[in-house]
Each structure stands twice: as structure tokens, then as C-alpha cells.
Amino acid sequence: MAGQMQRRQFIAAAGVAGVVGSAGCLSDIVDRSNGASSSNEYWEYFHSQSEVAAELMETTVETFQREQDAQLEMNWSNWDDINGGKWKNNIQNGNRPLLYDSTNSLTGQFIEPGWVKPVSEYKDRLDDEALENVEWALEMARSCYRGFDEELYEIPVGLEVGAPFIARADHFEAAGLSIEDDFPPEDYEHLVQLATQLQEDGPGEYGFQIYGEHGDVTDEALVTWTASKGGYDGMYLNEDWSDVNYDNDIWKEATRQYVDLYREHGLSSAKAATASNEGAAQMLIQGEVSMYQGSTKGFGQFMSRAEDMIGDGTIVFGPPWEGDAGNRGDFFTQCVALMRKPDGVPEDVWQEREEMAIQWINKLLSADFQREVPKSLATLPVRRDVWPELEDDEALSRSNYISTLETTVEGMEHGWSSHPEMNAIQYNIAGPRFQEAVRGKISPEEACDLTAEEIRNQVDI
């Protein structure tokens, strides 16, 4: 394992980036003597999260093109394209965009080589009114980049805060519980109590569904518990990114409690080891389970598949509990970023295209777009000035969705690291080990120890 974390230094990036603009395309202006190739210009991830997210992004792109009399060359991507290495491989092979959107924990792999343009270099070109209302989110997001030279590399569009509790209000009522008074759980013991009563007296088969799928087991409910209890000691990496935290007492206790909900208390279905967050949401819709704790993006799934249950208050959200660290967990951002000009592109041409990209970022930060963020991208909009009017929306208010996010964000301070190896640290190494614990193949404590050991041996922290 490397010693104390040094501020990560940048190297010059070569290759080709796509551009957003109204005149010509990048392939017309790139010096091909270096073997570079043209690329799709905007690599877009947000749309892949749900049907309603896809509709929002596709409609917004069409509107923007009409407004700007421009053509965005789109690469509609998904989580696997980023986490699985497709984006990085393309960039390394000389095929990179001017603009991308993603989640911040996946993008350190692009920041470290110097491919991403720091926000400080173009912040003054963004809309003043938007900046005034998103400054709080920019400040929060700085915690995600503490291992790099600059404080901020991406513009947050929405914040996914903690992992809210999500429940069936009708199941609470049938089990003799009050959704107003008994939900959400106040701590782990209260969670076990509520889930047990829901399972014994309610219409669902299971009181609380956990999930062990590789991409979800470590990144939602579990890390919300550890961050709530330990602050930075409960995050994946310590504060200066010099070591992992998986094998400390906070992670071991929380992992034991999480696994025990299924293996000891029998409150989750046999699907637990392979279930995803999305799978748990579907089980809630079907009434198979009465409660789970998962991604805020579940709201988009509910809007696509159970809009009536959101609108009438059948599916209800509640904030995570406040832990010993005095907060309600962790957060990460849905973000958008510019990439640096590559070799082979004239400065004046690049500036013209980049200005169009700046206008796209302003579009994402506009009040009109931000009003759609909770129901479509299913995260908390970064513009505070739109929050009050969202409380008048029936679906957002009756489900307690927007109030849950507002309560949660006021009680958190630690963002997911944009370390360049987070896909290994958070998913590829940790996920299979923690799934083994859910399966009962190894103990929760062994999962924590083995994960930490393997990361230290395999990853340049």
C-alpha cells in the first residue's frame, strides 16, 4: 500500500475529443497525423436510470438543439460502460468527448490523467443566477475530490443523498402500525422491531428486504449506516485517501447487522444474495416486501411502474436515521463535466464548441430543468430556489419524497470519493466478498477483512 496520500499530479492528455457545436464536426478539424480518431461528442449516462429519466434527457436534448440551432452528437451510455472500462478504453485510444455526465465516484479514472477540465477554469462562464443557487452544492461536492489538485472537477446536477427508507403505507396500517408515527425506523433495533411486526401481521411476505447484488450491496443502505455512525471512518476510504476503512469496527458491526436481517432474523427473502436495489423496489411494488432502504433513484422506477402508488401515498419515503457521527449518511453527485482540449484541435475552434457545452451545462442548471430532477433523475435538485415549489407537487409531497431528501441532505457532509480506482474499491473487489457474506459462505467480519486486504494488495491507494 502506498504511504500518505500525495496530492495527485496531472499529466498532459493527448488524443481526440468530440465537440458540441453548430458548424462542422470534429473529424473535419483534427490533425490525424497522430492516429487520433473522431468521437461521439456528448457521452450521456443519466438517461439509463429509468424510463422517466430517458424521456427527460431525450426531450431536453431535442429542445436544446432547437434553441441553439445546433446538433448534439450523442453517445447514450450506461453504468457498465463507465464502470466496466469502455469509456476509459475509448479515451485512451484517442476517442473522447468534450462533455459527459455521470456519477462522481466513477470518474476519478478520467480526472487523474488530466482529461477533465477543473471547474475553476470555466465557472465564471456559467449563468450567475444558477451559480448563486447551486453554490451550496458545489461546496458539498468538494469533499469528493480531496485527493486531487483542484477542489472541483464536475458540476453537480443532482445529489443522491443517503439511502432513504421506502415502505408500503398500506402494509403498515394492516400490521397495526402508523406510517406517520412509526416510520421511518429510528435506529437498527427499531428497524428489526418494525420489520418483524410487518412480517408477522402485515400482508407482505417479508418485512425488510436487503440486497446482495455486486453493484448494490456496499453502496446504498450499508454505507449509509457506516457513514452515519462513523463519519469519515464509515466511508470507503479515510479522509486523505491513504487507506480503506472496510476492516474497521464500524464496517464490521454494520455489515453484521445488515446480514443478520436476512440470515438471523429471517426478514428478507431468499433472493437477498442476488437481489438488486431495483429488484427490491419491484418487490415493494408487488407487495412481496413491506419496506427496504435504497437509492433515491428508486423514485424514477416508481414513477415509471407505480405512479398511482406514489400519487396516492401508498409508497412512502423516510430519511435514514441520524447516527453517532451526527449525520444521516453519505452522498454522491449526478454530475456533468468538460474535458480538456486535445492535441490536433485549433484553440479557436475548440473555444467555439466549448461555449456550446457551457450553454448545455446552464440548461441542466436552469430552474426549468431542475424542477424535473426529482421526478425524473430521482435525486435532490441542486438549485435550492426550486425546492419550495416542489412541495406543492402531489406525487413528491404525498410520498414524502422531497421532504425526505431535504431532511437528509441537511444531515450529511461526506461525499463518495472520486478516487481513480473507486470501481475496484467500491464494487469489483468489495461486491463479491460482501455477497459471500449475505450467502453465508463467509462471516460479515471475514468479508470486511478480506476486502480490505485484497484492495491493499491490488489497488494503488
Side-chain angles (χ1 to χ4, degrees), residues 318-373:
W321 58 65
E322 183 176 295
D324 293 343
N327 63 57
R328 296 182 183 273
D330 56 314
F331 73 90
F332 63 92
T333 70
Q334 291 180 320
C335 53
V336 62
L338 296 181
M339 302 199 88
R340 289 190 179 278
K341 184 187 82 65
D343 294 338
V345 181
E347 184 67 37
D348 59 337
V349 175
W350 187 260
Q351 286 295 326
E352 179 184 348
R353 295 339 193 249
E354 192 177 77
E355 184 56 37
M356 191 64 65
I358 293 289
Q359 296 309 314
W360 172 255
I361 295 175
N362 284 334
K363 181 74 171 179
L364 298 182
L365 296 181
S366 69
D368 286 344
F369 185 86
Q370 288 283 301
R371 291 185 190 100
E372 300 301 319
V373 166

Short mmCIF file of all heavy atoms in Angstrom, two decimals, residues 318-373:
data_model
loop_
_atom_site.label_atom_id
_atom_site.label_comp_id
_atom_site.label_asym_id
_atom_site.label_seq_id
_atom_site.Cartn_x
_atom_site.Cartn_y
_atom_site.Cartn_z
N GLY A 318 -38.82 7.90 3.76
CA GLY A 318 -38.45 8.48 5.04
C GLY A 318 -36.93 8.57 5.14
O GLY A 318 -36.21 7.73 4.59
N PRO A 319 -36.39 9.56 5.85
CA PRO A 319 -34.94 9.76 5.91
C PRO A 319 -34.24 8.68 6.73
O PRO A 319 -34.84 8.08 7.63
CB PRO A 319 -34.80 11.12 6.58
CG PRO A 319 -36.06 11.30 7.36
CD PRO A 319 -37.14 10.60 6.57
N PRO A 320 -32.97 8.41 6.42
CA PRO A 320 -32.18 7.49 7.26
C PRO A 320 -32.05 8.04 8.67
O PRO A 320 -32.18 9.25 8.89
CB PRO A 320 -30.81 7.45 6.56
CG PRO A 320 -31.02 8.03 5.21
CD PRO A 320 -32.19 8.97 5.32
N TRP A 321 -31.75 7.16 9.61
CA TRP A 321 -31.58 7.63 10.98
C TRP A 321 -30.29 8.43 11.14
O TRP A 321 -29.34 8.27 10.38
CB TRP A 321 -31.62 6.47 11.97
CG TRP A 321 -30.58 5.40 11.75
CD1 TRP A 321 -29.23 5.51 11.85
CD2 TRP A 321 -30.83 4.03 11.41
NE1 TRP A 321 -28.62 4.31 11.62
CE2 TRP A 321 -29.57 3.37 11.34
CE3 TRP A 321 -32.00 3.28 11.18
CZ2 TRP A 321 -29.45 2.01 11.03
CZ3 TRP A 321 -31.87 1.94 10.87
CH2 TRP A 321 -30.62 1.31 10.80
N GLU A 322 -30.28 9.27 12.15
CA GLU A 322 -29.07 10.01 12.50
C GLU A 322 -28.22 9.15 13.41
O GLU A 322 -28.70 8.68 14.44
CB GLU A 322 -29.42 11.33 13.17
CG GLU A 322 -28.22 12.20 13.49
CD GLU A 322 -28.61 13.54 14.09
OE1 GLU A 322 -29.25 14.34 13.37
OE2 GLU A 322 -28.28 13.77 15.27
N GLY A 323 -26.97 8.95 13.03
CA GLY A 323 -26.09 8.07 13.80
C GLY A 323 -25.20 8.80 14.77
O GLY A 323 -25.34 10.01 15.00
N ASP A 324 -24.26 8.06 15.34
CA ASP A 324 -23.38 8.61 16.36
C ASP A 324 -22.52 9.76 15.84
O ASP A 324 -22.07 10.60 16.62
CB ASP A 324 -22.45 7.51 16.90
CG ASP A 324 -23.20 6.43 17.67
OD1 ASP A 324 -24.36 6.69 18.06
OD2 ASP A 324 -22.63 5.34 17.88
N ALA A 325 -22.25 9.78 14.54
CA ALA A 325 -21.44 10.85 13.96
C ALA A 325 -22.23 12.14 13.77
O ALA A 325 -21.68 13.16 13.33
CB ALA A 325 -20.85 10.41 12.63
N GLY A 326 -23.53 12.09 14.07
CA GLY A 326 -24.36 13.29 13.96
C GLY A 326 -24.83 13.59 12.56
O GLY A 326 -25.26 14.71 12.27
N ASN A 327 -24.78 12.60 11.66
CA ASN A 327 -25.29 12.82 10.32
C ASN A 327 -26.14 11.63 9.88
O ASN A 327 -26.26 10.64 10.59
CB ASN A 327 -24.14 13.10 9.33
CG ASN A 327 -23.19 11.93 9.19
OD1 ASN A 327 -23.59 10.82 8.85
ND2 ASN A 327 -21.91 12.16 9.44
N ARG A 328 -26.71 11.76 8.71
CA ARG A 328 -27.63 10.74 8.20
C ARG A 328 -27.04 9.96 7.03
O ARG A 328 -27.77 9.39 6.23
CB ARG A 328 -28.96 11.39 7.79
CG ARG A 328 -29.72 12.02 8.94
CD ARG A 328 -31.05 12.61 8.49
NE ARG A 328 -31.73 13.28 9.58
CZ ARG A 328 -32.55 12.67 10.45
NH1 ARG A 328 -32.78 11.38 10.32
NH2 ARG A 328 -33.13 13.36 11.41
N GLY A 329 -25.73 9.95 6.94
CA GLY A 329 -25.13 9.11 5.93
C GLY A 329 -24.24 9.87 4.96
O GLY A 329 -23.58 10.83 5.33
N ASP A 330 -24.24 9.44 3.73
CA ASP A 330 -23.31 9.85 2.71
C ASP A 330 -24.07 10.42 1.51
O ASP A 330 -25.28 10.39 1.47
CB ASP A 330 -22.51 8.63 2.25
CG ASP A 330 -23.45 7.52 1.77
OD1 ASP A 330 -24.45 7.24 2.46
OD2 ASP A 330 -23.23 6.95 0.70
N PHE A 331 -23.32 10.93 0.54
CA PHE A 331 -23.96 11.38 -0.69
C PHE A 331 -22.99 11.20 -1.84
O PHE A 331 -21.79 11.04 -1.68
CB PHE A 331 -24.39 12.85 -0.59
CG PHE A 331 -23.26 13.84 -0.65
CD1 PHE A 331 -22.83 14.36 -1.86
CD2 PHE A 331 -22.61 14.24 0.51
CE1 PHE A 331 -21.78 15.26 -1.92
CE2 PHE A 331 -21.55 15.14 0.47
CZ PHE A 331 -21.13 15.64 -0.76
N PHE A 332 -23.54 11.22 -3.05
CA PHE A 332 -22.72 11.38 -4.24
C PHE A 332 -23.51 12.22 -5.23
O PHE A 332 -24.68 12.54 -5.00
CB PHE A 332 -22.30 10.03 -4.85
CG PHE A 332 -23.42 9.17 -5.35
CD1 PHE A 332 -23.84 9.23 -6.66
CD2 PHE A 332 -24.02 8.25 -4.49
CE1 PHE A 332 -24.86 8.41 -7.12
CE2 PHE A 332 -25.04 7.42 -4.95
CZ PHE A 332 -25.46 7.50 -6.27
N THR A 333 -22.85 12.63 -6.30
CA THR A 333 -23.50 13.56 -7.22
C THR A 333 -23.77 12.91 -8.56
O THR A 333 -23.03 12.05 -9.03
CB THR A 333 -22.62 14.80 -7.46
OG1 THR A 333 -21.48 14.45 -8.23
CG2 THR A 333 -22.19 15.43 -6.15
N GLN A 334 -24.85 13.34 -9.17
CA GLN A 334 -25.02 13.20 -10.61
C GLN A 334 -24.42 14.47 -11.19
O GLN A 334 -24.81 15.58 -10.79
CB GLN A 334 -26.49 13.08 -10.99
CG GLN A 334 -27.13 11.78 -10.55
CD GLN A 334 -28.59 11.72 -10.96
OE1 GLN A 334 -29.30 12.71 -10.88
NE2 GLN A 334 -29.05 10.58 -11.40
N CYS A 335 -23.46 14.34 -12.07
CA CYS A 335 -22.65 15.50 -12.43
C CYS A 335 -22.41 15.56 -13.93
O CYS A 335 -22.58 14.57 -14.65
CB CYS A 335 -21.32 15.46 -11.69
SG CYS A 335 -20.43 13.90 -11.90
N VAL A 336 -21.98 16.73 -14.36
CA VAL A 336 -21.62 16.95 -15.75
C VAL A 336 -20.25 17.61 -15.78
O VAL A 336 -19.90 18.35 -14.85
CB VAL A 336 -22.68 17.82 -16.46
CG1 VAL A 336 -22.77 19.20 -15.84
CG2 VAL A 336 -22.42 17.92 -17.96
N ALA A 337 -19.44 17.32 -16.80
CA ALA A 337 -18.07 17.83 -16.83
C ALA A 337 -17.62 18.11 -18.25
O ALA A 337 -18.10 17.50 -19.22
CB ALA A 337 -17.12 16.83 -16.16
N LEU A 338 -16.68 19.02 -18.36
CA LEU A 338 -16.00 19.30 -19.62
C LEU A 338 -14.65 18.59 -19.64
O LEU A 338 -14.00 18.45 -18.61
CB LEU A 338 -15.75 20.80 -19.78
CG LEU A 338 -16.96 21.73 -19.89
CD1 LEU A 338 -16.48 23.17 -20.07
CD2 LEU A 338 -17.86 21.32 -21.02
N MET A 339 -14.22 18.20 -20.81
CA MET A 339 -12.89 17.62 -20.95
C MET A 339 -11.96 18.64 -21.61
O MET A 339 -12.40 19.57 -22.29
CB MET A 339 -12.95 16.32 -21.75
CG MET A 339 -13.87 15.29 -21.12
SD MET A 339 -13.58 13.60 -21.67
CE MET A 339 -12.34 13.07 -20.50
N ARG A 340 -10.68 18.47 -21.37
CA ARG A 340 -9.69 19.41 -21.90
C ARG A 340 -9.54 19.27 -23.41
O ARG A 340 -9.79 18.21 -23.98
CB ARG A 340 -8.34 19.17 -21.24
CG ARG A 340 -8.27 19.60 -19.77
CD ARG A 340 -6.84 19.55 -19.30
NE ARG A 340 -6.69 19.97 -17.92
CZ ARG A 340 -6.62 21.24 -17.51
NH1 ARG A 340 -6.71 22.21 -18.41
NH2 ARG A 340 -6.46 21.53 -16.24
N LYS A 341 -9.06 20.35 -24.02
CA LYS A 341 -8.78 20.33 -25.45
C LYS A 341 -7.62 19.38 -25.73
O LYS A 341 -6.57 19.46 -25.11
CB LYS A 341 -8.41 21.73 -25.94
CG LYS A 341 -8.20 21.82 -27.45
CD LYS A 341 -7.69 23.17 -27.86
CE LYS A 341 -6.18 23.27 -27.68
NZ LYS A 341 -5.42 22.33 -28.56
N PRO A 342 -7.79 18.47 -26.67
CA PRO A 342 -6.69 17.57 -27.04
C PRO A 342 -5.79 18.19 -28.08
O PRO A 342 -6.10 19.22 -28.67
CB PRO A 342 -7.43 16.36 -27.61
CG PRO A 342 -8.63 16.99 -28.27
CD PRO A 342 -9.03 18.16 -27.39
N ASP A 343 -4.68 17.56 -28.30
CA ASP A 343 -3.82 17.98 -29.39
C ASP A 343 -4.56 17.77 -30.72
O ASP A 343 -5.38 16.88 -30.86
CB ASP A 343 -2.52 17.15 -29.41
CG ASP A 343 -1.66 17.41 -28.20
OD1 ASP A 343 -1.82 18.48 -27.57
OD2 ASP A 343 -0.83 16.54 -27.87
N GLY A 344 -4.25 18.60 -31.69
CA GLY A 344 -4.83 18.42 -33.02
C GLY A 344 -6.07 19.24 -33.27
O GLY A 344 -6.63 19.17 -34.36
N VAL A 345 -6.51 20.01 -32.28
CA VAL A 345 -7.70 20.85 -32.45
C VAL A 345 -7.29 22.30 -32.25
O VAL A 345 -6.75 22.65 -31.19
CB VAL A 345 -8.80 20.48 -31.45
CG1 VAL A 345 -10.03 21.36 -31.67
CG2 VAL A 345 -9.17 19.01 -31.58
N PRO A 346 -7.53 23.19 -33.21
CA PRO A 346 -7.20 24.61 -33.04
C PRO A 346 -7.93 25.22 -31.85
O PRO A 346 -9.10 24.89 -31.59
CB PRO A 346 -7.66 25.24 -34.36
CG PRO A 346 -7.70 24.10 -35.34
CD PRO A 346 -8.08 22.90 -34.55
N GLU A 347 -7.27 26.11 -31.16
CA GLU A 347 -7.83 26.72 -29.95
C GLU A 347 -9.14 27.45 -30.25
O GLU A 347 -10.10 27.35 -29.47
CB GLU A 347 -6.82 27.69 -29.34
CG GLU A 347 -7.26 28.30 -28.03
CD GLU A 347 -7.36 27.28 -26.91
OE1 GLU A 347 -6.51 26.37 -26.86
OE2 GLU A 347 -8.29 27.39 -26.08
N ASP A 348 -9.19 28.21 -31.35
CA ASP A 348 -10.40 28.98 -31.62
C ASP A 348 -11.59 28.09 -31.93
O ASP A 348 -12.73 28.37 -31.53
CB ASP A 348 -10.16 29.96 -32.78
CG ASP A 348 -9.75 29.27 -34.07
OD1 ASP A 348 -9.23 28.13 -34.00
OD2 ASP A 348 -9.96 29.85 -35.16
N VAL A 349 -11.33 26.98 -32.62
CA VAL A 349 -12.40 26.03 -32.91
C VAL A 349 -12.90 25.39 -31.63
O VAL A 349 -14.11 25.23 -31.41
CB VAL A 349 -11.92 24.96 -33.91
CG1 VAL A 349 -13.00 23.89 -34.12
CG2 VAL A 349 -11.57 25.61 -35.24
N TRP A 350 -11.96 25.02 -30.78
CA TRP A 350 -12.34 24.38 -29.51
C TRP A 350 -13.17 25.32 -28.65
O TRP A 350 -14.17 24.92 -28.05
CB TRP A 350 -11.10 23.93 -28.76
CG TRP A 350 -11.42 23.13 -27.54
CD1 TRP A 350 -11.43 23.55 -26.24
CD2 TRP A 350 -11.78 21.75 -27.50
NE1 TRP A 350 -11.79 22.52 -25.41
CE2 TRP A 350 -12.01 21.41 -26.16
CE3 TRP A 350 -11.94 20.78 -28.50
CZ2 TRP A 350 -12.38 20.12 -25.78
CZ3 TRP A 350 -12.31 19.50 -28.11
CH2 TRP A 350 -12.52 19.19 -26.76
N GLN A 351 -12.77 26.60 -28.60
CA GLN A 351 -13.50 27.56 -27.78
C GLN A 351 -14.93 27.72 -28.27
O GLN A 351 -15.86 27.84 -27.47
CB GLN A 351 -12.78 28.92 -27.80
CG GLN A 351 -11.50 28.96 -26.99
CD GLN A 351 -11.77 28.78 -25.51
OE1 GLN A 351 -12.80 29.20 -24.99
NE2 GLN A 351 -10.85 28.11 -24.82
N GLU A 352 -15.12 27.71 -29.59
CA GLU A 352 -16.47 27.82 -30.13
C GLU A 352 -17.33 26.65 -29.70
O GLU A 352 -18.48 26.81 -29.28
CB GLU A 352 -16.40 27.88 -31.66
CG GLU A 352 -17.76 27.98 -32.33
CD GLU A 352 -17.65 27.94 -33.84
OE1 GLU A 352 -16.51 28.06 -34.36
OE2 GLU A 352 -18.69 27.79 -34.49
N ARG A 353 -16.78 25.44 -29.81
CA ARG A 353 -17.54 24.25 -29.42
C ARG A 353 -17.77 24.23 -27.91
O ARG A 353 -18.85 23.89 -27.43
CB ARG A 353 -16.80 22.98 -29.81
CG ARG A 353 -16.57 22.65 -31.29
CD ARG A 353 -17.47 23.31 -32.26
NE ARG A 353 -17.36 22.71 -33.59
CZ ARG A 353 -16.83 23.34 -34.62
NH1 ARG A 353 -16.32 24.55 -34.48
NH2 ARG A 353 -16.81 22.76 -35.81
N GLU A 354 -16.74 24.63 -27.17
CA GLU A 354 -16.85 24.61 -25.71
C GLU A 354 -17.92 25.57 -25.22
O GLU A 354 -18.60 25.29 -24.22
CB GLU A 354 -15.50 24.95 -25.09
CG GLU A 354 -15.44 24.68 -23.59
CD GLU A 354 -14.07 24.95 -23.01
OE1 GLU A 354 -13.74 26.14 -22.81
OE2 GLU A 354 -13.33 23.98 -22.77
N GLU A 355 -18.09 26.68 -25.88
CA GLU A 355 -19.12 27.63 -25.48
C GLU A 355 -20.51 26.99 -25.58
O GLU A 355 -21.38 27.24 -24.74
CB GLU A 355 -19.05 28.88 -26.35
CG GLU A 355 -20.04 29.97 -25.93
CD GLU A 355 -19.89 30.38 -24.47
OE1 GLU A 355 -18.75 30.42 -23.97
OE2 GLU A 355 -20.92 30.62 -23.81
N MET A 356 -20.71 26.16 -26.59
CA MET A 356 -21.98 25.46 -26.70
C MET A 356 -22.16 24.49 -25.54
O MET A 356 -23.26 24.33 -25.00
CB MET A 356 -22.06 24.72 -28.03
CG MET A 356 -23.44 24.18 -28.37
SD MET A 356 -24.66 25.50 -28.58
CE MET A 356 -23.99 26.32 -30.02
N ALA A 357 -21.07 23.84 -25.13
CA ALA A 357 -21.14 22.93 -23.99
C ALA A 357 -21.46 23.67 -22.70
O ALA A 357 -22.20 23.17 -21.84
CB ALA A 357 -19.81 22.18 -23.84
N ILE A 358 -20.92 24.88 -22.55
CA ILE A 358 -21.24 25.71 -21.39
C ILE A 358 -22.74 26.00 -21.36
O ILE A 358 -23.39 25.95 -20.30
CB ILE A 358 -20.45 27.03 -21.42
CG1 ILE A 358 -18.95 26.76 -21.24
CG2 ILE A 358 -20.97 28.01 -20.37
CD1 ILE A 358 -18.56 26.33 -19.86
N GLN A 359 -23.32 26.28 -22.51
CA GLN A 359 -24.75 26.54 -22.57
C GLN A 359 -25.56 25.29 -22.20
O GLN A 359 -26.64 25.38 -21.62
CB GLN A 359 -25.14 27.04 -23.96
CG GLN A 359 -24.54 28.38 -24.33
CD GLN A 359 -24.77 29.44 -23.26
OE1 GLN A 359 -25.89 29.58 -22.74
NE2 GLN A 359 -23.71 30.16 -22.90
N TRP A 360 -25.02 24.11 -22.54
CA TRP A 360 -25.71 22.88 -22.13
C TRP A 360 -25.69 22.73 -20.61
O TRP A 360 -26.70 22.36 -20.00
CB TRP A 360 -25.07 21.65 -22.78
CG TRP A 360 -25.63 20.37 -22.24
CD1 TRP A 360 -25.04 19.51 -21.37
CD2 TRP A 360 -26.93 19.83 -22.51
NE1 TRP A 360 -25.87 18.47 -21.07
CE2 TRP A 360 -27.04 18.63 -21.75
CE3 TRP A 360 -28.00 20.23 -23.30
CZ2 TRP A 360 -28.19 17.84 -21.78
CZ3 TRP A 360 -29.15 19.44 -23.32
CH2 TRP A 360 -29.23 18.26 -22.57
N ILE A 361 -24.55 23.02 -19.98
CA ILE A 361 -24.48 22.95 -18.52
C ILE A 361 -25.47 23.94 -17.91
O ILE A 361 -26.18 23.63 -16.94
CB ILE A 361 -23.06 23.22 -18.02
CG1 ILE A 361 -22.12 22.10 -18.51
CG2 ILE A 361 -23.02 23.30 -16.49
CD1 ILE A 361 -20.66 22.34 -18.17
N ASN A 362 -25.54 25.15 -18.47
CA ASN A 362 -26.53 26.12 -17.99
C ASN A 362 -27.95 25.58 -18.13
O ASN A 362 -28.81 25.85 -17.28
CB ASN A 362 -26.40 27.44 -18.76
CG ASN A 362 -25.20 28.25 -18.30
OD1 ASN A 362 -24.74 28.13 -17.17
ND2 ASN A 362 -24.68 29.09 -19.20
N LYS A 363 -28.19 24.83 -19.20
CA LYS A 363 -29.52 24.22 -19.38
C LYS A 363 -29.83 23.26 -18.24
O LYS A 363 -30.94 23.25 -17.69
CB LYS A 363 -29.55 23.49 -20.73
CG LYS A 363 -30.87 22.83 -21.07
CD LYS A 363 -31.91 23.86 -21.47
CE LYS A 363 -33.16 23.19 -22.02
NZ LYS A 363 -34.19 24.20 -22.40
N LEU A 364 -28.85 22.44 -17.87
CA LEU A 364 -29.05 21.48 -16.78
C LEU A 364 -29.23 22.16 -15.43
O LEU A 364 -29.87 21.61 -14.54
CB LEU A 364 -27.88 20.50 -16.71
CG LEU A 364 -27.64 19.61 -17.93
CD1 LEU A 364 -26.47 18.67 -17.68
CD2 LEU A 364 -28.89 18.82 -18.30
N LEU A 365 -28.68 23.36 -15.29
CA LEU A 365 -28.80 24.11 -14.04
C LEU A 365 -29.96 25.10 -14.06
O LEU A 365 -30.19 25.79 -13.07
CB LEU A 365 -27.50 24.86 -13.75
CG LEU A 365 -26.26 24.02 -13.52
CD1 LEU A 365 -25.06 24.91 -13.22
CD2 LEU A 365 -26.46 23.02 -12.37
N SER A 366 -30.68 25.15 -15.17
CA SER A 366 -31.81 26.07 -15.26
C SER A 366 -32.93 25.64 -14.32
O SER A 366 -33.08 24.46 -13.98
CB SER A 366 -32.34 26.13 -16.69
OG SER A 366 -32.95 24.90 -17.05
N ALA A 367 -33.72 26.61 -13.89
CA ALA A 367 -34.83 26.29 -12.98
C ALA A 367 -35.80 25.31 -13.63
O ALA A 367 -36.31 24.40 -12.95
CB ALA A 367 -35.55 27.57 -12.58
N ASP A 368 -36.06 25.46 -14.91
CA ASP A 368 -37.00 24.57 -15.60
C ASP A 368 -36.51 23.12 -15.55
O ASP A 368 -37.30 22.21 -15.26
CB ASP A 368 -37.18 25.00 -17.05
CG ASP A 368 -38.03 26.25 -17.19
OD1 ASP A 368 -38.72 26.61 -16.22
OD2 ASP A 368 -38.00 26.86 -18.28
N PHE A 369 -35.24 22.90 -15.85
CA PHE A 369 -34.72 21.53 -15.81
C PHE A 369 -34.67 21.02 -14.38
O PHE A 369 -35.03 19.86 -14.10
CB PHE A 369 -33.32 21.45 -16.43
CG PHE A 369 -32.79 20.04 -16.52
CD1 PHE A 369 -33.09 19.23 -17.59
CD2 PHE A 369 -32.01 19.51 -15.49
CE1 PHE A 369 -32.61 17.92 -17.67
CE2 PHE A 369 -31.52 18.21 -15.55
CZ PHE A 369 -31.83 17.42 -16.64
N GLN A 370 -34.23 21.85 -13.45
CA GLN A 370 -34.07 21.42 -12.06
C GLN A 370 -35.40 21.02 -11.42
O GLN A 370 -35.44 20.14 -10.56
CB GLN A 370 -33.40 22.53 -11.25
CG GLN A 370 -31.92 22.70 -11.56
CD GLN A 370 -31.09 21.61 -10.92
OE1 GLN A 370 -31.09 21.44 -9.70
NE2 GLN A 370 -30.37 20.84 -11.73
N ARG A 371 -36.49 21.63 -11.88
CA ARG A 371 -37.81 21.23 -11.36
C ARG A 371 -38.14 19.78 -11.73
O ARG A 371 -38.92 19.13 -11.04
CB ARG A 371 -38.90 22.15 -11.91
CG ARG A 371 -38.84 23.57 -11.37
CD ARG A 371 -40.03 24.39 -11.86
NE ARG A 371 -39.86 25.80 -11.54
CZ ARG A 371 -39.44 26.72 -12.41
NH1 ARG A 371 -39.19 26.35 -13.67
NH2 ARG A 371 -39.30 27.98 -12.04
N GLU A 372 -37.56 19.29 -12.81
CA GLU A 372 -37.85 17.94 -13.27
C GLU A 372 -36.93 16.89 -12.63
O GLU A 372 -37.18 15.70 -12.74
CB GLU A 372 -37.69 17.86 -14.79
CG GLU A 372 -38.61 18.80 -15.56
CD GLU A 372 -40.07 18.52 -15.27
OE1 GLU A 372 -40.44 17.33 -15.19
OE2 GLU A 372 -40.84 19.48 -15.12
N VAL A 373 -35.85 17.33 -12.00
CA VAL A 373 -34.84 16.40 -11.47
C VAL A 373 -35.41 15.40 -10.47
O VAL A 373 -35.14 14.20 -10.57
CB VAL A 373 -33.65 17.18 -10.88
CG1 VAL A 373 -32.77 16.29 -10.01
CG2 VAL A 373 -32.82 17.80 -12.00
#
